[in-house]
Amino acid sequence: MGKTFMPSFKNLDELRQHQLNGLQWTVNHAYRGSSHYREKLAAAGVRSTDIRTLDDIRNLPFTTTDDLRKGYPFPLLAVPESQVVRIHASSGTTDRRKIIGYTQKDIDDWVHFFARCYEMAGLTASDRVQIAVGYGIWTAGVGFQLGCEKFGAMALPVGPGNIDMQCQFLVDLQSTAMCCTASMGLLMAEEMKRRNLKDKIALKKMIFGSERSSDAMRARIKDLLGLEDMFDIPGMTELYGPGTGLDCFKHEGIHYWADYYILEILDPETLEPVSPGEIGEMVVTTLRKEAAPLIRYRTRDLTRVIEQPCSCGNILPMHDRIQGRSDDMIIFRGVNIYPGQIDEVLSPISDAGCEYQVHLTRRDDGKEYMTIRLECCDGLDPSQKPELALEQRCKTLLVVDDDPGIRMLCSKVLDSFEVTHATDGLEALSL
Ligand code: ZN
């Protein structure tokens, strides 16, 4: 195609200089344009002239969902309302939706880096992209579509659901790529099998947004549809929308667009940076967002930075898949545990569709107990004693390999396996 949507930086120093310029611009812009930010920055005693290095970001105050609620319906607005050309809202479960305004430049920036996602996924102008995500007030549909058009591929904006039409388009229009949630992907894969259409379609790639998916689930989708590749696309309405990164064909992590935002990974309890490579909360600061700039916005999403550069050669840094929400974090024996880690523990023995529950209890002895109840799936062979593998993986997760005071108790209970992790050698299982 010739045209590229990748940044022109040759090395990380150039990227960091770009980030510093963007950070200074954002703080200045937010201070001048938003009374809300002005008050917060003044309270923190920081001006844009105080930002001399990227490390100075740590002197800036955090922005939270509370700040978005306070400014409803135009939170964080840092430009005159007449410059807002569009709004989108998040599908928040809280009382009030988060509404975010966009200037034309914000839209253009978003569309540009969304086109980059398709480039990263290895699509070309010959690809036909079936977009099966929500449209309207949600950021998803329009982002996928405008990014696709900007990239130069053919957009098929079918929208979510409507399985009959999805199947018809996959066959009649020979879509080569499909954008949807992973659960929709699984549904489509099973429909293709049920309708015996696998040999009649040309689908090569799927791009999954907005929810976590297990490796087992992805493997099943890939197998059922005979896909070449699948990609994860992260994103949230506050930060433009979906398309803020993508894993490349090497799948060593999700490249994120560090030329548009700075990503910090902080301990959600202490709000200090985690050790390199450890899981923490994603905190984002935009570098050129006009209508609703974000300064250290606490996303509540959990992930880790991938330290080593990607073998694909692209210098854009990477974070891991989203590991869940910081609200779902468990502190067990002083160790932070996240839903995504439990997924990893269970993935070798569980199949797509497996459900699990984590029970945390403190018993009369004052000690904490963790019980993982895993629903048995088809294909799980009890005689293989899968709970033993689970036990070892739980110990690794909890970094208790060498602790003689730790014992893992397992048993098969009715139709579910139960693994109890006790802090000492109690013999009983809690049922
Ligand atoms: Zn890569």
Side-chain angles (χ1 to χ4, degrees), residues 7 10 32 36 42 45 48 56 76 79 88 96 150 166 197 200 203 245 268 294 303 307 320 352 362 431:
K10 289 172 195 68
R32 293 161 72 114
H36 182 78
S48 61
D56 291 331
L76 313 179
V79 296
H88 280 293
R96 266 187 193 166
K150 179 86 177 174
Q166 305 287 1
L197 292 175
K200 296 194 172 70
L203 200 59
L294 299 178
T303 192
E307 293 290 303
D320 204 348
R362 188 184 295 278
L431 296 177

Side-chain angles (χ1 to χ4, degrees), residues 120 248-250 252 255 310-314 318:
M120 185 69 95
C248 69
F249 68 102
K250 295 282 191 180
E252 292 167 18
H255 289 282
C310 187
S311 63
C312 76
N314 194 310
M318 296 187 291

